[in-house]
Amino acid sequence: MTELNTLTLADARDKLRSKDVTSVELTEACLKAAEGAGALNAFVHHTPEIALEQAKAADARIAAGDAPAMCGLPLGIKDLFCTKGVPSQAASGILEGFKPQYESTVTQNLFDAGAVMLGKLNMDEFAMGSSNETSVYGNAISPWRRGNDDAALTPGGSSGGSASAVAADLCLAATGTDTGGSIRQPAAFTGIVGIKPTYGRCSRWGIVAFASSLDQAGPMTKSVRDAAIMLEAMCGHDPKDSTSAELAVPNFEAMLTGDIKGKKIGIPKEYHMDGMPDEIEALWAEGRAMLKAAGAEIVDISLPHTKYALPTYYVIAPAEASSNLARYDGVRFGHRASLAAGDGITEMYEKTRAEGFGDEVKRRVMVGTYVLSAGFYDAYYNRARKVRALIKKDFDDAFAAGIDAILTPATPSSAFGLGEMNDEDPVKMYLNDVFTVTVNLAGLPGISVPTGVDHQGLPLGLQLIGRPWEEGDLLNTAYALESAAGFVAKPGKWW
Amino acid sequence: MSIDKDTAARVAKLARIKVEEDALPALAQEFNTILGFIEQLNEVDVDGVEPMTSVTPMRLKRREDVVTDGDQQDKVLANAPDAREGFFAVPKVVE
């Protein structure tokens, strides 16, 4: 029999409903897998008591004939989500010991739909990073390796623990969040599916804020079908988030027909980057061929402001972060530095924040402080907001011309080794998000689908970008791509 | 635009993050790298473009200005590093 922790959400759901398995059995299989995977450092807080209690309740609901979408399905939750009574640190030292007195809307939605929480997952500190190397818990490790080389690879970031846990079958699926690519890049690095929905689909309430105009939650799963099932359970209007959209949530799974005949797929010429590996170009060309063979029309398009997306992001995201992270002052929650005789409140703030924040977080908070400071606000922040409007207009124009979805590479390379970027300047690491960050700036839905492996046997993904609020159509195109690519590679178990 | 040590110190102060004197030159250098990357935005013609305020066209909602919750003092203080007599405690602010 298949190991229960390796099931997809869809298969596990069907087995639960046909009474072939119980949620307690599924949950125990995942807890065992997670417990035995300390080497991956994916789970940073295990919650077995909560999981088993939720699993028993789910089994009771299933027995009573009341089995909502996610009923009995064990998940990992990114540490960025506030979970009531369970440590929620955003992988930061400054939130050491923080146990929220409330539940984030997204996790509450999942629990209402019957989901089971196995524990909290590693990530980059405050979701700032592309390799999960800025976490206070230490690096999360990818289950993938380059052939027989035992060098530790990054699972990507910031949702690195989520990616590692799903790829290694420690849970059936996980939550992620995506501010510049933090769902899609780690999904691509680990051979799984990750979707960032349209800005406003998922409530941000109870998710530790990084850059509020860019942050969105989404599922990280083993298949496109699972992404459809879980996204539907996560999203919906929430009066507690003033940017949450008051729109009905469609049945995304029902929209997975695989029929994309006549769909217009845009190929943006600006995504052919200088120095991009041939393997990525080849992967992209194969993706185009697959969608064409499935009946789609491939159209060359231009998104002329693409090259300005990363610099725009590195003004807007730090600016918003410097404002959001001002709340970590050592007064209301988390860490407070011990003070010397005569220290006043300013010293308390300065020492607390110096001790509690890691280097990358400090760097971004200070860059954000600078671009918002008197004399530079117009030159940096307002200019970036104008360029952002132009980046969004590029997409608006493409969609107005009849494009249904846009196909791009998900990342400029396969996963790199942990520590390999240590000596590079910060900007080099930022380039990881070159294909994903445009989507956050324009508020669009984007999905990463694994479609191949590189010469080292490491997974590679393609990204599809959809029209706003049309996640259902986007998921269907992704489903067609997934079916054509037939990606089945799994990492060999070494941990 | 080049950031020197004094500017780096001023930014750290504004951000309320203590940075040791000997760490300031390296910090200034990092700022310069990042700001150099951002300088590219000066190439873009933004004449007549409104700065984006909301990525999806939506009006922020309004609601009645009434109390909707409260009486949660214990919960509010539960995570405080130092809470006394129902208040957050901080070093002396007023002499």
Coordinates of all heavy atoms in Angstrom, one line a residue, chain A residues 98-99 101 199 243 246 307-308 310-312 314-315 330-334 336 339 348-350 353-354 363 366 369-370 376 380 383 385-386 388-390 392 427 441-443, chain B residues 1 3 11-16 18 27 30-31 35 37-44 46 49-53 55-56 58 60-61 75 78-82 88-91 93:
Chain A
F98 N 6.5 34.3 21.2 CA 5.2 34.9 20.9 C 4.2 33.8 20.6 O 4.4 32.9 19.7 CB 5.3 35.8 19.7 CG 4.0 36.4 19.3 CD1 3.2 37.1 20.1 CD2 3.5 36.2 18.0 CE1 2.0 37.7 19.7 CE2 2.3 36.8 17.5 CZ 1.5 37.5 18.4
K99 N 3.1 33.8 21.4 CA 2.0 32.8 21.1 C 0.7 33.6 20.9 O 0.2 34.2 21.9 CB 1.8 31.9 22.3 CG 2.9 30.8 22.4 CD 2.6 29.8 23.5 CE 3.7 28.8 23.6 NZ 3.5 27.9 24.8
Q101 N -2.9 35.1 20.5 CA -4.2 34.9 21.3 C -5.3 34.7 20.3 O -6.5 34.7 20.6 CB -4.5 36.0 22.2 CG -3.4 36.3 23.2 CD -3.3 35.2 24.2 OE1 -4.3 34.8 24.9 NE2 -2.2 34.6 24.4
Y199 N -4.2 39.6 -5.6 CA -4.1 40.3 -4.4 C -5.6 40.6 -3.9 O -6.4 41.1 -4.7 CB -3.4 41.7 -4.6 CG -3.3 42.5 -3.3 CD1 -2.3 42.2 -2.4 CD2 -4.2 43.5 -3.1 CE1 -2.2 42.9 -1.2 CE2 -4.1 44.2 -1.9 CZ -3.1 43.9 -1.0 OH -3.0 44.6 0.2
T243 N -8.5 45.1 2.5 CA -8.2 44.9 1.1 C -8.7 43.5 0.6 O -8.4 43.1 -0.6 CB -6.7 45.0 0.8 OG1 -6.0 44.0 1.5 CG2 -6.1 46.4 1.2
E246 N -14.5 41.4 -2.0 CA -15.9 40.9 -1.7 C -16.4 40.2 -3.0 O -17.3 40.7 -3.6 CB -16.8 42.0 -1.3 CG -17.9 41.6 -0.4 CD -18.5 42.7 0.4 OE1 -18.0 43.8 0.4 OE2 -19.6 42.4 1.0
K307 N 12.1 45.0 -16.9 CA 13.5 45.2 -16.2 C 13.5 46.1 -15.0 O 14.4 46.1 -14.2 CB 14.5 45.6 -17.2 CG 14.5 47.1 -17.6 CD 15.6 47.4 -18.5 CE 16.9 47.8 -17.8 NZ 17.7 48.8 -18.5
Y308 N 12.4 46.9 -14.9 CA 12.3 47.8 -13.7 C 11.6 47.2 -12.5 O 11.4 47.8 -11.5 CB 11.7 49.1 -14.2 CG 12.5 49.8 -15.3 CD1 12.0 49.9 -16.6 CD2 13.8 50.3 -15.0 CE1 12.8 50.4 -17.6 CE2 14.5 50.8 -16.0 CZ 14.0 50.9 -17.3 OH 14.8 51.5 -18.3
L310 N 12.3 44.6 -10.5 CA 13.1 44.3 -9.3 C 13.5 45.6 -8.5 O 13.3 45.7 -7.3 CB 14.3 43.4 -9.6 CG 14.1 41.9 -9.5 CD1 15.4 41.2 -9.9 CD2 13.7 41.5 -8.1
P311 N 14.0 46.6 -9.2 CA 14.3 47.8 -8.5 C 13.1 48.5 -7.9 O 13.2 49.1 -6.8 CB 15.0 48.7 -9.6 CG 15.0 48.0 -10.8 CD 14.6 46.6 -10.6
T312 N 12.0 48.4 -8.6 CA 10.7 48.9 -8.0 C 10.4 48.2 -6.7 O 10.0 48.8 -5.7 CB 9.6 48.8 -9.0 OG1 9.9 49.5 -10.2 CG2 8.3 49.3 -8.5
Y314 N 12.4 46.6 -4.8 CA 13.3 46.9 -3.7 C 13.3 48.3 -3.2 O 14.1 48.7 -2.3 CB 14.7 46.4 -4.1 CG 14.8 44.9 -3.8 CD1 14.5 43.9 -4.7 CD2 14.9 44.5 -2.4 CE1 14.5 42.6 -4.4 CE2 14.8 43.1 -2.1 CZ 14.6 42.2 -3.1 OH 14.5 40.9 -2.8
V315 N 12.3 49.1 -3.7 CA 11.9 50.3 -3.0 C 10.6 50.1 -2.2 O 10.6 50.3 -1.0 CB 11.7 51.5 -4.0 CG1 11.2 52.7 -3.2 CG2 13.0 51.8 -4.7
G330 N 9.7 45.8 21.5 CA 10.0 45.3 22.8 C 9.0 45.6 23.9 O 9.3 45.4 25.1
V331 N 7.8 46.1 23.5 CA 6.8 46.5 24.5 C 5.7 45.5 24.6 O 5.3 45.0 25.7 CB 6.3 47.9 24.3 CG1 5.2 48.3 25.2 CG2 7.4 49.0 24.4
R332 N 5.1 45.2 23.4 CA 3.8 44.5 23.5 C 4.0 43.0 23.3 O 3.2 42.2 23.7 CB 2.9 45.0 22.4 CG 2.4 46.4 22.8 CD 1.9 47.1 21.6 NE 3.0 47.4 20.7 CZ 2.8 47.9 19.4 NH1 1.6 48.0 18.9 NH2 3.8 48.1 18.7
F333 N 5.1 42.5 22.6 CA 5.2 41.1 22.4 C 6.7 40.8 22.0 O 7.4 41.7 21.6 CB 4.3 40.6 21.3 CG 4.0 41.6 20.2 CD1 5.0 42.1 19.4 CD2 2.7 42.0 20.1 CE1 4.7 43.0 18.4 CE2 2.4 43.0 19.1 CZ 3.4 43.5 18.3
G334 N 7.1 39.6 22.2 CA 8.4 39.1 21.8 C 9.5 39.6 22.7 O 9.4 39.8 23.9
R336 N 12.7 41.5 24.4 CA 13.1 42.8 24.9 C 14.6 42.7 25.4 O 14.9 41.8 26.1 CB 12.2 43.4 26.0 CG 12.8 44.7 26.5 CD 12.0 45.2 27.8 NE 10.7 45.6 27.4 CZ 9.9 46.3 28.3 NH1 10.3 46.6 29.5 NH2 8.7 46.6 28.0
L339 N 18.6 45.9 29.7 CA 19.1 47.3 29.5 C 20.2 47.5 30.6 O 20.2 46.9 31.6 CB 18.0 48.2 29.7 CG 16.8 48.0 28.7 CD1 15.7 49.0 29.0 CD2 17.3 48.2 27.3
M348 N 16.1 51.2 24.7 CA 15.4 49.9 24.7 C 15.0 49.5 23.3 O 15.2 48.4 22.9 CB 14.2 50.0 25.6 CG 13.5 48.6 25.8 SD 11.8 48.8 26.5 CE 10.9 49.3 25.1
Y349 N 14.4 50.5 22.6 CA 14.0 50.2 21.2 C 15.2 49.7 20.4 O 15.2 48.7 19.7 CB 13.5 51.4 20.5 CG 12.1 52.0 21.0 CD1 11.9 53.3 21.0 CD2 11.2 51.1 21.6 CE1 10.7 53.9 21.4 CE2 10.0 51.6 22.1 CZ 9.7 53.0 22.0 OH 8.6 53.5 22.5
E350 N 16.3 50.5 20.4 CA 17.5 50.3 19.6 C 18.2 49.0 19.9 O 18.6 48.3 19.0 CB 18.5 51.5 19.7 CG 17.9 52.8 19.1 CD 18.9 53.9 19.2 OE1 19.8 53.9 20.0 OE2 18.6 55.0 18.6
R353 N 15.8 45.9 18.9 CA 15.7 45.7 17.5 C 17.0 45.2 16.9 O 17.1 44.4 16.0 CB 15.2 47.0 16.8 CG 13.7 47.2 17.1 CD 13.3 48.6 16.8 NE 13.3 49.0 15.4 CZ 12.3 48.7 14.5 NH1 11.3 48.0 14.9 NH2 12.4 49.1 13.3
A354 N 18.1 45.7 17.5 CA 19.5 45.2 17.0 C 19.6 43.7 17.4 O 20.2 43.0 16.6 CB 20.6 46.1 17.7
R363 N 18.8 45.3 7.2 CA 19.1 45.9 5.9 C 17.9 46.5 5.3 O 17.8 47.6 4.8 CB 19.8 44.9 5.0 CG 20.4 45.5 3.8 CD 21.6 44.7 3.3 NE 21.4 43.2 3.3 CZ 22.3 42.3 3.8 NH1 23.4 42.7 4.3 NH2 22.0 41.0 3.7
M366 N 16.2 49.4 7.1 CA 16.9 50.6 7.0 C 16.8 51.2 5.6 O 16.7 52.4 5.4 CB 18.4 50.5 7.5 CG 18.4 50.3 9.0 SD 20.1 50.4 9.7 CE 20.7 48.7 9.5
T369 N 13.6 52.8 5.5 CA 13.6 54.0 6.3 C 14.2 55.1 5.4 O 13.7 56.3 5.4 CB 14.4 53.8 7.6 OG1 13.8 52.8 8.3 CG2 14.4 55.1 8.4
Y370 N 15.3 54.8 4.7 CA 15.9 55.8 3.9 C 15.1 56.3 2.7 O 14.9 57.5 2.5 CB 17.2 55.2 3.3 CG 18.0 56.2 2.5 CD1 18.8 57.2 3.1 CD2 18.1 56.0 1.1 CE1 19.5 58.1 2.3 CE2 18.8 56.9 0.3 CZ 19.5 58.0 0.9 OH 20.2 58.8 0.2
F376 N 13.9 62.2 0.2 CA 14.0 61.1 -0.7 C 12.7 60.5 -1.1 O 12.7 59.6 -2.0 CB 15.0 60.1 -0.1 CG 16.4 60.7 0.2 CD1 16.7 61.0 1.5 CD2 17.2 60.9 -0.9 CE1 18.0 61.6 1.7 CE2 18.5 61.5 -0.6 CZ 18.8 61.8 0.7
Y380 N 12.6 58.4 -4.6 CA 12.6 56.9 -4.5 C 11.2 56.3 -4.5 O 10.7 55.6 -5.3 CB 13.4 56.4 -3.3 CG 14.9 56.6 -3.5 CD1 15.6 57.5 -2.7 CD2 15.6 55.9 -4.5 CE1 16.9 57.7 -2.9 CE2 16.9 56.1 -4.6 CZ 17.6 57.0 -3.8 OH 19.0 57.1 -4.0
R383 N 8.5 57.7 -7.1 CA 8.9 57.2 -8.4 C 8.6 55.7 -8.6 O 8.1 55.3 -9.6 CB 10.4 57.5 -8.6 CG 10.9 57.0 -10.0 CD 12.3 57.6 -10.3 NE 12.1 58.9 -10.9 CZ 12.0 59.2 -12.2 NH1 12.0 58.2 -13.1 NH2 11.9 60.4 -12.6
R385 N 6.4 54.0 -7.1 CA 4.9 53.7 -7.2 C 4.4 54.1 -8.6 O 3.5 53.5 -9.1 CB 4.2 54.5 -6.1 CG 4.4 54.0 -4.7 CD 3.4 54.5 -3.7 NE 3.3 55.9 -3.7 CZ 2.2 56.6 -3.5 NH1 1.1 56.0 -3.4 NH2 2.3 57.9 -3.4
K386 N 5.1 55.0 -9.2 CA 4.7 55.4 -10.6 C 5.1 54.3 -11.6 O 4.4 53.9 -12.5 CB 5.3 56.7 -11.0 CG 4.7 57.9 -10.3 CD 5.4 59.2 -10.7 CE 4.9 60.4 -9.9 NZ 5.6 61.6 -10.2
R388 N 5.6 51.2 -10.8 CA 4.7 50.1 -10.5 C 3.4 50.2 -11.3 O 2.9 49.2 -11.9 CB 4.4 50.0 -9.0 CG 3.5 48.8 -8.6 CD 3.3 48.7 -7.1 NE 2.5 47.5 -6.9 CZ 2.0 47.2 -5.7 NH1 2.2 48.0 -4.6 NH2 1.3 46.1 -5.5
A389 N 2.9 51.4 -11.4 CA 1.6 51.6 -12.2 C 1.9 51.3 -13.7 O 1.0 50.7 -14.4 CB 1.2 53.1 -12.1
L390 N 3.1 51.6 -14.2 CA 3.4 51.3 -15.6 C 3.6 49.7 -15.8 O 3.2 49.2 -16.8 CB 4.7 52.0 -16.0 CG 4.6 53.5 -16.1 CD1 6.0 54.1 -16.3 CD2 3.7 53.9 -17.2
K392 N 2.1 47.4 -14.1 CA 0.7 46.9 -14.1 C 0.0 47.1 -15.4 O -0.7 46.3 -16.0 CB -0.1 47.5 -13.0 CG -1.6 46.9 -12.9 CD -2.3 47.3 -11.7 CE -3.7 46.7 -11.6 NZ -4.6 47.2 -12.6
V427 N 22.1 42.1 -3.9 CA 21.4 42.2 -5.1 C 21.4 40.9 -5.9 O 20.4 40.6 -6.6 CB 21.9 43.4 -6.0 CG1 21.3 43.4 -7.4 CG2 21.6 44.8 -5.3
L441 N 3.7 42.9 -8.1 CA 3.6 44.4 -8.3 C 2.3 44.7 -9.0 O 1.7 45.7 -8.8 CB 4.8 44.9 -9.1 CG 6.1 44.9 -8.3 CD1 7.3 45.2 -9.2 CD2 6.1 46.0 -7.2
A442 N 1.9 43.7 -9.9 CA 0.6 43.9 -10.6 C -0.6 43.3 -10.0 O -1.7 43.4 -10.5 CB 0.8 43.4 -12.1
G443 N -0.4 42.6 -8.8 CA -1.5 42.1 -8.1 C -2.1 40.8 -8.7 O -3.3 40.5 -8.4
Chain B
M1 N 24.0 59.3 -6.0 CA 23.8 59.5 -4.6 C 24.7 58.4 -3.9 O 24.5 57.3 -4.1 CB 22.3 59.2 -4.3 CG 22.0 59.3 -2.8 SD 22.3 60.8 -2.0 CE 21.2 61.9 -2.9
I3 N 26.1 57.1 -0.1 CA 25.8 57.2 1.3 C 27.1 57.0 2.1 O 27.8 56.1 1.9 CB 24.8 56.0 1.7 CG1 23.5 56.2 0.9 CG2 24.6 55.9 3.2 CD1 22.3 55.9 1.7
V11 N 20.4 56.9 9.4 CA 19.3 56.0 9.0 C 19.1 55.0 10.1 O 17.9 54.7 10.4 CB 19.6 55.3 7.6 CG1 18.6 54.2 7.3 CG2 19.6 56.4 6.5
A12 N 20.1 54.4 10.6 CA 20.0 53.5 11.7 C 19.3 54.1 12.9 O 18.4 53.4 13.5 CB 21.4 53.0 12.1
K13 N 19.6 55.3 13.2 CA 18.9 56.0 14.3 C 17.4 56.2 14.0 O 16.6 55.9 14.8 CB 19.6 57.4 14.5 CG 19.1 58.2 15.6 CD 19.7 57.6 16.9 CE 19.0 58.2 18.1 NZ 19.5 57.6 19.4
L14 N 17.1 56.6 12.8 CA 15.7 56.8 12.4 C 14.9 55.4 12.5 O 13.8 55.4 12.8 CB 15.6 57.3 10.9 CG 15.8 58.8 10.7 CD1 15.9 59.0 9.2 CD2 14.8 59.6 11.4
A15 N 15.6 54.3 12.1 CA 15.0 53.0 12.2 C 15.0 52.4 13.6 O 14.5 51.3 13.8 CB 15.7 52.1 11.2
R16 N 15.6 53.1 14.5 CA 15.7 52.6 15.9 C 16.4 51.2 15.9 O 15.8 50.3 16.6 CB 14.3 52.6 16.6 CG 13.7 54.0 16.7 CD 14.4 54.8 17.8 NE 13.7 56.1 18.0 CZ 14.0 57.2 17.3 NH1 14.9 57.2 16.3 NH2 13.3 58.3 17.5
K18 N 20.2 49.8 16.8 CA 21.6 50.1 17.2 C 22.6 49.5 16.3 O 22.6 48.3 16.1 CB 21.8 49.7 18.6 CG 23.1 50.1 19.2 CD 23.2 49.7 20.7 CE 24.6 49.9 21.3 NZ 25.0 51.3 21.2
L27 N 27.9 48.9 6.3 CA 26.5 49.1 6.1 C 26.3 50.2 5.1 O 25.5 50.0 4.2 CB 25.9 49.6 7.5 CG 24.4 49.8 7.5 CD1 23.6 48.5 7.2 CD2 23.9 50.5 8.8
E30 N 26.7 48.6 1.7 CA 25.6 47.8 1.3 C 24.5 48.7 0.8 O 23.8 48.4 -0.2 CB 25.1 47.0 2.5 CG 25.9 45.7 2.8 CD 25.5 45.0 4.0 OE1 24.5 45.4 4.6 OE2 26.1 44.0 4.3
F31 N 24.2 49.8 1.5 CA 23.2 50.7 1.1 C 23.5 51.2 -0.3 O 22.6 51.3 -1.2 CB 23.1 51.9 2.0 CG 22.5 51.7 3.3 CD1 22.6 52.6 4.4 CD2 21.7 50.5 3.5 CE1 22.0 52.4 5.6 CE2 21.1 50.3 4.8 CZ 21.3 51.2 5.8
L35 N 21.1 50.9 -3.4 CA 20.6 52.1 -4.0 C 21.1 52.3 -5.4 O 20.3 52.8 -6.3 CB 20.9 53.3 -3.1 CG 20.2 53.4 -1.8 CD1 20.8 54.5 -0.9 CD2 18.7 53.5 -1.9
F37 N 21.4 49.9 -7.5 CA 20.5 49.0 -8.2 C 19.2 49.7 -8.5 O 18.6 49.7 -9.6 CB 20.3 47.8 -7.4 CG 19.4 46.7 -8.0 CD1 19.7 46.1 -9.2 CD2 18.2 46.3 -7.3 CE1 18.8 45.1 -9.7 CE2 17.4 45.4 -7.8 CZ 17.7 44.8 -9.0
I38 N 18.7 50.5 -7.5 CA 17.4 51.2 -7.6 C 17.5 52.4 -8.5 O 16.5 52.8 -9.1 CB 17.0 51.6 -6.1 CG1 16.7 50.4 -5.3 CG2 15.8 52.6 -6.2 CD1 16.5 50.8 -3.8
E39 N 18.7 52.9 -8.7 CA 18.9 54.1 -9.5 C 18.4 53.9 -10.9 O 18.0 54.9 -11.6 CB 20.4 54.5 -9.6 CG 21.0 55.0 -8.3 CD 20.6 56.3 -7.9 OE1 20.4 57.2 -8.8 OE2 20.3 56.5 -6.7
Q40 N 18.3 52.7 -11.4 CA 17.8 52.4 -12.7 C 16.4 53.0 -13.0 O 16.1 53.3 -14.1 CB 17.6 50.9 -12.9 CG 18.8 50.0 -12.9 CD 18.3 48.6 -13.0 OE1 17.7 48.1 -14.0 NE2 18.6 47.8 -12.0
L41 N 15.7 53.2 -11.9 CA 14.3 53.7 -12.1 C 14.3 55.1 -12.6 O 13.3 55.6 -13.2 CB 13.6 53.7 -10.7 CG 13.3 52.3 -10.1 CD1 12.6 52.5 -8.8 CD2 12.6 51.5 -11.1
N42 N 15.5 55.8 -12.5 CA 15.6 57.2 -13.1 C 15.5 57.2 -14.6 O 15.2 58.2 -15.2 CB 16.8 57.9 -12.6 CG 16.8 58.1 -11.1 OD1 15.7 58.3 -10.6 ND2 17.9 58.1 -10.5
E43 N 15.7 56.0 -15.3 CA 15.6 55.9 -16.7 C 14.2 56.0 -17.2 O 13.9 56.3 -18.4 CB 16.2 54.6 -17.2 CG 17.6 54.3 -16.9 CD 18.0 52.9 -17.1 OE1 17.2 52.1 -17.8 OE2 19.0 52.4 -16.7
V44 N 13.2 55.7 -16.3 CA 11.8 55.5 -16.8 C 11.1 56.9 -16.9 O 11.2 57.7 -16.0 CB 11.1 54.6 -15.8 CG1 9.7 54.3 -16.3 CG2 11.8 53.3 -15.5
V46 N 8.2 58.9 -16.3 CA 7.0 58.7 -15.5 C 6.2 60.0 -15.5 O 5.3 60.2 -14.7 CB 7.4 58.4 -14.0 CG1 8.0 57.0 -13.9 CG2 8.3 59.4 -13.4
V49 N 2.3 60.1 -14.9 CA 1.8 58.8 -14.3 C 1.5 59.1 -12.8 O 2.3 59.6 -12.1 CB 2.9 57.8 -14.4 CG1 2.4 56.4 -13.8 CG2 3.3 57.6 -15.9
E50 N 0.3 58.6 -12.4 CA -0.1 58.7 -11.0 C 0.6 57.6 -10.2 O 0.6 56.4 -10.7 CB -1.6 58.6 -10.9 CG -2.4 59.8 -11.2 CD -2.1 61.0 -10.3 OE1 -2.1 60.8 -9.1 OE2 -1.8 62.1 -10.8
P51 N 1.1 57.9 -9.0 CA 1.7 56.8 -8.2 C 0.6 55.8 -7.8 O -0.6 56.2 -7.5 CB 2.2 57.5 -6.9 CG 2.2 59.0 -7.3 CD 1.2 59.2 -8.4
M52 N 0.9 54.5 -7.9 CA -0.2 53.5 -7.6 C -0.5 53.6 -6.1 O 0.4 53.6 -5.2 CB 0.3 52.1 -7.9 CG -0.8 51.1 -7.7 SD -0.1 49.4 -7.9 CE 0.0 49.3 -9.6
T53 N -1.8 53.6 -5.8 CA -2.2 53.6 -4.4 C -2.9 52.2 -4.1 O -2.8 51.7 -2.9 CB -3.3 54.7 -4.0 OG1 -4.3 54.7 -5.0 CG2 -2.6 56.0 -4.0
V55 N -3.5 48.2 -5.9 CA -3.2 47.4 -7.1 C -4.5 46.9 -7.7 O -4.5 46.6 -8.9 CB -2.2 46.3 -6.7 CG1 -2.9 45.2 -5.9 CG2 -1.5 45.7 -7.9
T56 N -5.5 46.7 -6.9 CA -6.8 46.3 -7.5 C -7.7 47.5 -7.3 O -7.7 48.1 -6.2 CB -7.4 45.1 -6.9 OG1 -7.3 45.2 -5.5 CG2 -6.6 43.8 -7.3
M58 N -10.3 49.2 -5.9 CA -11.3 49.0 -4.9 C -11.3 50.3 -4.0 O -10.3 50.9 -3.7 CB -11.0 47.8 -4.1 CG -9.6 47.7 -3.4 SD -9.5 46.4 -2.2 CE -9.6 44.9 -3.2
L60 N -11.7 51.6 -0.3 CA -11.7 51.1 1.1 C -13.0 51.2 1.7 O -13.7 52.2 1.6 CB -10.6 51.8 1.9 CG -9.2 51.5 1.6 CD1 -8.2 52.2 2.5 CD2 -8.9 50.0 1.7
K61 N -13.4 50.2 2.4 CA -14.7 50.1 3.0 C -14.8 51.0 4.2 O -13.9 51.3 4.9 CB -14.9 48.7 3.5 CG -15.2 47.7 2.5 CD -16.3 46.7 3.0 CE -16.9 45.9 1.9 NZ -15.9 45.6 0.8
K75 N -5.7 39.1 27.3 CA -5.1 38.7 26.0 C -4.2 39.7 25.5 O -3.1 39.3 24.9 CB -6.3 38.4 25.0 CG -7.1 37.2 25.3 CD -8.1 37.0 24.2 CE -8.9 35.8 24.4 NZ -9.9 35.6 23.4
A78 N -0.9 39.4 27.3 CA -0.4 38.0 27.5 C 1.0 37.8 27.0 O 1.8 37.0 27.5 CB -1.3 37.0 26.9
N79 N 1.4 38.5 25.9 CA 2.7 38.3 25.3 C 3.7 39.4 25.6 O 4.8 39.5 25.1 CB 2.5 38.3 23.8 CG 2.1 36.9 23.3 OD1 2.8 35.9 23.4 ND2 0.9 36.8 22.8
A80 N 3.3 40.3 26.5 CA 4.2 41.5 26.9 C 5.4 41.0 27.6 O 5.3 40.2 28.5 CB 3.5 42.5 27.7
P81 N 6.6 41.5 27.3 CA 7.8 41.1 28.0 C 7.8 41.6 29.5 O 8.3 41.0 30.3 CB 9.0 41.8 27.3 CG 8.4 42.2 26.0 CD 6.9 42.3 26.1
D82 N 7.0 42.7 29.7 CA 6.9 43.2 31.1 C 5.6 43.9 31.2 O 5.3 44.9 30.6 CB 8.1 44.2 31.3 CG 8.2 44.6 32.8 OD1 7.3 44.1 33.6 OD2 9.0 45.4 33.1
F88 N 1.3 47.8 30.1 CA 2.7 47.5 29.6 C 3.6 48.3 30.4 O 3.4 49.5 30.7 CB 2.8 47.9 28.1 CG 1.9 47.2 27.2 CD1 0.8 47.8 26.5 CD2 2.2 45.8 26.9 CE1 0.0 47.0 25.7 CE2 1.4 45.1 26.0 CZ 0.3 45.7 25.4
A89 N 4.7 47.7 30.8 CA 5.8 48.4 31.6 C 7.0 48.8 30.7 O 7.4 47.9 29.9 CB 6.2 47.6 32.8
V90 N 7.4 50.0 30.7 CA 8.6 50.4 29.9 C 9.5 51.3 30.8 O 9.1 51.7 31.9 CB 8.1 51.3 28.7 CG1 7.3 50.5 27.7 CG2 7.4 52.5 29.1
P91 N 10.8 51.5 30.4 CA 11.6 52.4 31.1 C 11.0 53.8 31.3 O 10.2 54.2 30.4 CB 12.9 52.4 30.3 CG 12.9 51.2 29.4 CD 11.4 50.9 29.2
V93 N 9.9 57.3 30.9 CA 9.8 58.1 29.7 C 9.8 59.6 30.1 O 10.4 60.5 29.4 CB 8.6 57.8 28.9 CG1 8.5 58.7 27.6 CG2 8.6 56.4 28.5

